[in-house]
Amino acid sequence: MRDHRRDGIPHGNLPLELDAFVGRATELAKLTGALDSGRLVTVTGTGGVGKSRLAARAAARCAPGGGVWRVELAPLRDEEFVDYAVVEALGLTDHTTRLPRETLFAHLAEQELLLVLDGFEHLVDACAALVTDLLGRAPGLRVLAVGRRPLGVAGEQLVPLAPLGPEEAVELLTVRAGQRHLTFGYDADLDEDHREVRELCRRLDGIPLAIELAAGRLGALSPGQVLQRLDDRFRLLTGGDRTALPRHRTLRTAIGWSHELCTPPERLLWARLSVFAGSFDLEAAEYVCSGDGLPGDDVLDVLSALLAQSVLTREESLAGVRYRMLGTVRAYGADWLEATGDATRLRRRHRDWYVGLATWCELEWFSPRQGEVAARVDAELPNLRGALEHCLTEPDEAHLGQYLAGALWFHWIGCGRLSEGRHWLEQAVRLDAEETAGEQPRLKALWVLAHVAILQGDTVPALAALQECRQEAERSANPTAVAYAEHRTGCLALVTDDMPRAEALLSSALHRYREIGELNSNVLMGQVELAMTRAFQGDLPDAVRLCEDVRQVCEDHGERWARGYALYVLAYAAWSDGDPVRARELLADCLGSAHRFRDQLGSVLAVELLALVTVAQGDAAEAAVLQGAAGRMWPSVGLPLFGSAHYNAPHELCEAAAREQLGDERYEECVRHGARLGRREAVSRALRRPGVPASLPAPRPAGRRAAGAGTAKPAASRTRKGGETAG
């Protein structure tokens, strides 16, 4: 029996390492609270996540008068020896013919102690039965179980342990490296060092065991060099502390311990689930992983078993219940999948599922489920990226990559992913693919690429893509692609201030859509864009008529995204007609919708116009703050206001009026204040009701007022030579 009273712990056999316990303050408080209030607490989590260390620290805090006694169950293979292991850990000797459980009953009946059962997951039935009997016979006993799954005993309190957060992981790496007297050039003030250390911890999934093993490599390698070698993380991360438990000395052994405890169906599903990137749902797992030894009807039960053993984690999201496998666990499964020779087939099934999902989501985007679609694609983005990469790198699958990149247009454009969308679309259109029946995937990828480039203010490649799309669509007699090419060419003319050409092209495209029976969010956006050409040329009544029609169609179909742009034009018209109250009401609805979809363009246009409305309502300082916030948002879309005089008109009018009222110095102070606002803060501030106080920079003595600044007038009422509206 080892006495730990020198550490402030009553007697027991707990081999604690109480120094340098990094992070886990919240989890430690939760665990100690559970131990104080309950008799059976189980810490669960994946291999190497730090369950044993956390349990040891909590046990030290909660040690009762009879001490803390730890039973290491990992080495046992036979359930019959569980009782003997507990007897041995307690240091009991009994030369009678009593069974070991009877010996435990007799010893524990009057004791107040904490029993730690560590590594019980492969002996769960025997341990559950023992714990039930002991707690029933020994009122002063408390049990802290540590394993990768629950015991399943009545009254059990579960404390699931997740990997470390980013800051905790970095702290652990630096502390452990320091304990080994290793230096690796980390300086939080140096961006490159900080980036590499944080990326290393992220790639290791925040798993303490993996981080501690990586710290041991920092004597010979820099963080950047460790990062480069992480593709073979199981070979790299070895050589753990020799005093650690055998199953914790290398990362492969730690993960392999879980693998050994799995049944053959569980191992098979583990391997097959490794094809998923990020999280996934049950339907995807059933489709992708079933067959050849694993019936579809069995997937749920086997998945539940992996969840119980902490191979998987369960999470709630806007897209519903989803499951996730840590990258380290996934890498182990991927090795097994390759060994089975089934990896290629599984990757193709994964691709098929996500091509089908993208098809469904594109159709459902024009429906009341638009918000659900946005959340679903956002949750599935890592898997969609994986499917895209597979299609664009595998021979004979280019057409599927083009199809998938084009089908996700609503996500690239409507949900704030312009840059990523352009990356995939440019890769897709560079590939040659055989023509398929009906609409050719490459033509769709071309016009979607052009649309993205237009919104980024990159007109030259946009025009090149549209010309190629139009020419090839006419050659192959594809009326749908012709209509979209013409539509997006009109959109390009709109943002480059060629209003007559924009009006003609957009009108023609809408006519083509009607002829082929096309109706969706893109078509409605074409009508909104036509309304913008009318508004910018001074025909506000017709712009209002077109957008009221769009709003009605959107409400009939449950569409929210295109409706937001229609509200923007209606708000522009209301402001131009001298009704800022109505304009603000419409813009609040518009901005709220765009923000929910993370549509950066819709958000920034609404904030710009809200700034103009705000100055018209007499709050020049707040208007300048909103302009500063919009200025920070524009670079994530493209060129500020596309470089368009028409789109820039509200900004210039607002700036002129605000400078007139505030003076140059005060105006610039407020703009700088707005530029410091994050996206959420900016939107929240823009939606603030007039008259509600908001923080502003402290005023300084006013500088000279802007020379020649006068009262702002609606852009539609100011003209220049040739009849164009002026900015």
Side-chain angles (χ1 to χ4, degrees):
M1 184 187 305
R2 187 184 306 176
D3 192 343
H4 286 272
R5 280 173 289 186
R6 66 182 180 275
D7 295 318
I9 306 164
H11 63 277
N13 74 334
L14 186 66
L16 294 175
E17 297 175 10
L18 296 183
D19 56 329
F21 184 77
V22 178
R24 299 298 199 195
T26 301
E27 295 89 342
L28 182 59
K30 182 177 181 180
L31 181 53
T32 54
L35 284 171
D36 286 338
S37 63
R39 297 187 63 204
L40 172 60
V41 181
T42 301
V43 182
T44 62
T46 193
V49 81
K51 301 183 297 296
S52 296
R53 189 182 295 271
L54 180 71
R57 180 54 62 106
R61 285 192 173 187
C62 300
V68 179
W69 301 84
R70 178 176 174 275
V71 186
E72 171 53 39
L73 295 170
L76 295 186
R77 285 295 178 266
D78 193 331
E79 291 189 343
E80 293 183 8
F81 291 102
V82 169
D83 290 18
Y84 291 99
V86 178
V87 168
E88 182 181 354
L90 289 170
L92 304 179
T93 56
D94 189 311
H95 298 292
T96 72
T97 59
R98 290 188 303 182
L99 295 174
R101 188 162 303 191
E102 293 174 346
T103 301
L104 291 173
F105 291 158
H107 175 74
L108 297 174
E110 305 298 328
Q111 295 282 336
E112 289 189 5
L113 58 82
L114 176 61
L115 187 65
V116 180
L117 301 179
D118 198 354
F120 67 82
E121 50 271 322
H122 60 307
L123 306 164
V124 64
D125 292 337
C127 288
L130 174 63
V131 167
T132 300
D133 285 351
L134 291 181
L135 291 176
R137 296 288 193 94
L141 175 68
R142 285 181 288 162
V143 176
L144 173 56
V146 183
R148 305 184 190 195
R149 60 184 303 171
L151 277 171
V153 173
E156 180 181 32
Q157 295 186 59
L158 295 179
V159 180
L161 189 59
L164 294 170
E167 298 305 324
E168 289 180 324
V170 170
E171 181 186 3
L172 178 62
L173 182 68
T174 54
V175 168
R176 292 295 182 257
Q179 288 176 329
R180 294 176 171 89
H181 306 290
L182 304 176
T183 58
F184 54 93
Y186 174 65
D187 186 339
D189 295 328
L190 298 178
D191 290 343
E192 185 62 21
D193 284 345
H194 198 196
R195 185 196 66 78
E196 288 183 346
V197 170
R198 292 180 67 87
E199 178 63 11
L200 174 58
C201 292
R202 186 192 70 79
R203 289 280 305 279
L204 294 174
D205 299 310
I207 296 177
L209 174 61
I211 291 168
E212 296 201 22
L213 293 172
R217 289 295 187 186
L218 293 175
L221 302 172
S222 70
Q225 289 173 317
V226 175
L227 266 174
Q228 292 171 5
R229 289 162 173 77
L230 269 191
D231 287 340
D232 192 2
R233 66 184 75 187
F234 296 115
R235 182 172 60 84
L236 175 69
L237 300 181
T238 60
D241 184 353
R242 294 185 183 277
T243 65
L245 297 171
R247 70 180 190 274
H248 286 171
R249 287 180 189 157
T250 70
L251 188 58
R252 178 177 287 280
T253 305
I255 304 301
W257 174 254
S258 288
H259 197 261
E260 289 179 18
L261 300 177
C262 291
T263 64
E266 290 164 6
R267 293 178 187 177
L268 182 60
L269 183 58
W270 181 344
R272 291 179 178 179
L273 289 174
S274 69
V275 299
F276 290 101
S279 64
F280 54 90
D281 61 18
L282 176 60
E283 290 77 14
E286 288 176 329
Y287 177 86
V288 174
C289 300
S290 62
D292 289 347
L294 185 62
D297 291 342
D298 292 351
V299 169
L300 174 57
D301 290 339
V302 180
L303 185 146
S304 298
L306 292 177
L307 186 66
Q309 296 178 73
S310 301
V311 174
L312 296 175
T313 58
R314 179 184 185 275
E315 58 188 39
E316 299 279 352
S317 72
L318 294 175
V321 175
R322 300 183 65 78
Y323 305 94
R324 183 181 296 276
M325 186 182 287
L326 292 178
T328 304
V329 177
R330 182 184 299 112
Y332 193 94
D335 287 348
W336 276 83
L337 184 62
E338 290 291 342
T340 66
D342 205 21
T344 299
R345 184 183 70 88
L346 264 292
R347 281 193 284 268
R348 286 175 178 166
R349 288 181 69 84
H350 178 274
R351 171 210 66 197
D352 291 344
W353 175 263
Y354 285 101
V355 168
L357 177 69
T359 302
W360 177 84
C361 287
E362 183 183 19
L363 292 172
E364 291 299 296
W365 180 254
F366 186 57
S367 80
R369 288 171 291 281
Q370 204 169 51
E372 176 188 334
V373 167
R376 181 72 181 274
V377 175
D378 193 57
E380 297 286 13
L381 193 54
N383 285 303
L384 289 164
R385 288 169 180 151
L388 279 163
E389 185 172 2
H390 175 84
C391 293
L392 297 176
T393 55
E394 287 293 312
D396 303 323
E397 295 197 14
H399 64 289
L400 287 174
Q402 292 165 352
Y403 174 86
L404 184 53
L408 291 170
W409 68 265
F410 62 91
H411 188 68
W412 311 138
I413 293 163
C415 300
R417 299 280 185 179
L418 293 176
S419 180
E420 179 171 356
R422 185 162 181 183
H423 165 79
W424 293 114
L425 290 158
E426 285 181 337
Q427 283 195 51
V429 300
R430 279 198 295 264
L431 298 176
D432 294 326
E434 293 183 4
E435 295 181 3
T436 57
E439 183 180 358
Q440 299 168 38
R442 188 169 185 278
L443 296 182
K444 184 169 185 175
L446 280 168
W447 69 253
V448 176
L449 171 61
H451 192 185
V452 169
I454 289 168
L455 297 180
Q456 291 181 314
D458 201 358
T459 59
V460 174
L463 184 59
L466 287 170
Q467 288 175 342
E468 183 180 353
C469 180
R470 178 69 179 261
Q471 291 169 3
E472 188 58 31
E474 290 177 341
R475 185 193 66 78
S476 59
N478 188 322
T480 302
V482 170
Y484 278 99
E486 189 167 56
H487 175 181
R488 290 305 155 201
T489 305
C491 180
L492 180 58
L494 171 65
V495 300
T496 54
D497 291 335
D498 190 347
M499 292 304 125
R501 176 171 167 76
E503 183 176 3
L505 288 168
L506 291 167
S507 296
S508 177
L510 290 171
H511 177 72
R512 292 181 187 274
Y513 288 143
R514 286 191 293 271
E515 284 188 330
I516 61 177
E518 188 88 347
L519 180 61
N520 54 35
S521 299
N522 258 312
V523 173
L524 294 176
M525 279 298 297
Q527 188 162 326
V528 171
E529 289 154 357
L530 178 61
M532 288 179 177
T533 68
R534 302 277 169 81
F536 289 155
Q537 294 179 97
D539 190 354
L540 292 175
D542 200 50
V544 169
R545 177 187 63 79
L546 288 167
C547 287
E548 288 290 5
D549 181 62
V550 169
R551 180 157 70 167
Q552 185 61 55
V553 174
C554 288
E555 290 173 356
D556 290 344
H557 288 81
E559 210 281 355
R560 305 290 299 175
W561 175 67
R563 175 181 175 274
Y565 283 91
L567 295 180
Y568 170 82
V569 178
L570 293 173
Y572 180 90
W575 170 79
S576 298
D577 285 340
D579 189 350
V581 174
R582 173 64 175 160
R584 179 175 290 278
E585 178 184 299
L586 291 163
L587 285 169
D589 194 346
C590 166
L591 178 56
S593 178
H595 182 62
R596 280 191 294 274
F597 287 121
R598 292 193 295 187
D599 179 355
Q600 297 167 344
L601 175 61
S603 296
V604 72
L605 286 174
V607 172
E608 287 280 10
L609 193 51
L610 269 168
L612 180 57
V613 170
T614 300
V615 78
Q617 292 182 307
D619 194 344
E622 184 64 16
V625 169
L626 293 180
Q627 286 201 307
R632 177 175 174 175
M633 295 166 70
W634 269 112
S636 65
V637 179
L639 293 175
L641 300 149
F642 313 116
S644 162
H646 292 90
Y647 280 100
N648 199 42
H651 180 92
E652 289 191 348
L653 290 170
C654 177
E655 179 178 347
R659 284 186 186 275
E660 168 67 21
Q661 296 177 41
L662 299 172
D664 291 341
E665 186 175 355
R666 177 65 173 157
Y667 171 80
E668 297 294 347
E669 286 176 3
C670 291
V671 168
R672 286 193 296 270
H673 182 74
R676 290 192 290 269
L677 298 177
R679 184 169 174 269
R680 287 179 180 272
E681 294 175 296
V683 170
S684 177
R685 184 142 183 168
L687 293 176
R688 184 179 57 88
R689 295 191 308 276
V692 176
S695 62
L696 289 167
R700 298 177 181 178
R704 65 179 184 84
R705 296 185 180 274
T711 304
K713 296 181 180 179
S717 67
R718 298 193 300 150
T719 59
R720 59 188 180 195
K721 291 182 181 180
E724 283 190 76
T725 58

